[in-house]
Amino acid sequence: MAARKAAQAAFAAQPLPARLEQALHALRAAADARHRDGMARFAIPNQRAFGVPMAQVQAVAKRLGRDRALAAALWDSGWYEARLLAAYLDDPAAVTAAQMDRWARDFDNWAVCDTVCFALFDRSPLAWRKIEQWARREDEFVRRAAFALLASKSVHDKSAGDEPFLRGLDLVEAHAGDARNFVRKAVNWALRSIGKRNAALHAAALRSATHLAASADPTSRWNGKDALRELNGPATARRLARKT
């Protein structure tokens, strides 16, 4: 631990261009052509990708440590893995609303969107505000970010009460009819995640899912029926029993 902290301090003392080059070099060194070629199967564009597995991205992040300036430079480089790495290096407490909006506008695939929401944005005090704002946006990946962030908060935010998640269910019902693939899946993800948080939210999520399952709209109906299968399943029941 002491050796790693010393190495991080030495790295942080270097000029930003040198840190950026070393970070990109570390990503290139961890690249695997087979991984890059396989990204298309998961609907991840690979034109600006090295082909670095997520575990290796996280290992590079652990080695480098928090570095907000480097995170910004990595993001601006446009490389897929550099943007994943930026999510782990940035400081959630220092993230600004303008930065969150700018990065969200840059989202062009589900993997970067979800990683940034799960590893960085959901720990920001601005997260709930952005969920509300982004859910109203028409851009596919910005709206996905709203619901990926909502799903992430349901897992990671141990201190929040039920009220913001109940509001989240209102947003789920409002946008459950968005048939775009990456929005539809994120809305469903948020609905299921909220329903597994505790018994009260489980009951509320069941009400929302039941309402959606009876909808005349096919996407809303799919969202409701799919969520009901998991929320009524034995794994969810065991999870809630442990929480109780």
Side-chain angles (χ1 to χ4, degrees), residues 123-137:
R123 293 163 174 81
S124 165
L126 303 170
W128 288 111
R129 185 193 312 173
K130 290 304 170 187
I131 289 169
E132 288 275 356
Q133 293 174 356
W134 292 345
R136 296 193 295 268
R137 295 279 298 278

Side-chain angles (χ1 to χ4, degrees), residues 68-139:
R68 184 159 163 74
L70 178 56
L74 285 165
W75 187 269
D76 290 341
S77 76
W79 287 100
Y80 167 73
E81 291 89 353
R83 288 185 165 179
L84 298 181
L85 181 58
Y88 290 101
L89 297 186
D90 210 340
D91 178 2
V95 166
T96 66
Q99 177 191 344
M100 293 176 78
D101 287 335
R102 183 169 66 85
W103 284 25
R105 286 194 298 270
D106 286 342
F107 291 157
D108 61 359
N109 66 82
W110 66 267
V112 169
C113 172
D114 294 2
T115 299
V116 171
C117 288
F118 248 65
L120 180 65
F121 285 174
D122 80 333
R123 293 163 174 81
S124 165
L126 303 170
W128 288 111
R129 185 193 312 173
K130 290 304 170 187
I131 289 169
E132 288 275 356
Q133 293 174 356
W134 292 345
R136 296 193 295 268
R137 295 279 298 278
E138 289 299 323
D139 182 277

Side-chain angles (χ1 to χ4, degrees), residues 26-86:
L27 291 172
R28 290 189 186 98
D32 182 333
R34 291 170 301 179
H35 184 82
R36 182 182 184 277
D37 292 342
M39 290 169 60
R41 295 200 306 272
F42 300 98
I44 304 173
N46 64 5
Q47 294 88 344
R48 289 281 292 170
F50 301 126
V52 185
M54 178 61 81
Q56 294 301 314
V57 173
Q58 293 171 331
V60 172
K62 187 174 182 179
R63 190 162 71 244
L64 299 183
R66 291 284 186 193
D67 189 330
R68 184 159 163 74
L70 178 56
L74 285 165
W75 187 269
D76 290 341
S77 76
W79 287 100
Y80 167 73
E81 291 89 353
R83 288 185 165 179
L84 298 181
L85 181 58

Side-chain angles (χ1 to χ4, degrees), residues 74-219:
L74 285 165
W75 187 269
D76 290 341
S77 76
W79 287 100
Y80 167 73
E81 291 89 353
R83 288 185 165 179
L84 298 181
L85 181 58
Y88 290 101
L89 297 186
D90 210 340
D91 178 2
V95 166
T96 66
Q99 177 191 344
M100 293 176 78
D101 287 335
R102 183 169 66 85
W103 284 25
R105 286 194 298 270
D106 286 342
F107 291 157
D108 61 359
N109 66 82
W110 66 267
V112 169
C113 172
D114 294 2
T115 299
V116 171
C117 288
F118 248 65
L120 180 65
F121 285 174
D122 80 333
R123 293 163 174 81
S124 165
L126 303 170
W128 288 111
R129 185 193 312 173
K130 290 304 170 187
I131 289 169
E132 288 275 356
Q133 293 174 356
W134 292 345
R136 296 193 295 268
R137 295 279 298 278
E138 289 299 323
D139 182 277
E140 183 174 11
F141 287 106
V142 176
R143 183 169 288 170
R144 180 186 175 90
F147 291 98
L149 194 50
L150 180 56
S152 181
K153 292 292 282 184
S154 73
V155 175
H156 293 155
D157 192 339
K158 306 301 183 185
S159 63
D162 290 351
E163 189 58 37
F165 295 104
L166 293 172
R167 171 56 186 153
L169 290 174
D170 290 340
L171 295 174
V172 163
E173 293 201 46
H175 298 287
D178 191 325
R180 292 174 295 179
N181 186 51
F182 294 110
V183 176
R184 175 177 64 96
K185 289 184 174 180
V187 168
N188 183 268
W189 178 19
L191 173 56
R192 290 182 289 109
S193 296
I194 291 171
K196 293 184 286 186
R197 185 173 168 88
N198 61 43
L201 289 173
H202 180 254
L206 281 177
R207 288 193 294 271
S208 291
T210 301
H211 178 250
L212 292 173
S215 173
D217 176 77
T219 304

Side-chain angles (χ1 to χ4, degrees), residues 1-9:
M1 179 67 75
R4 186 170 75 232
K5 287 189 174 181
Q8 290 173 350

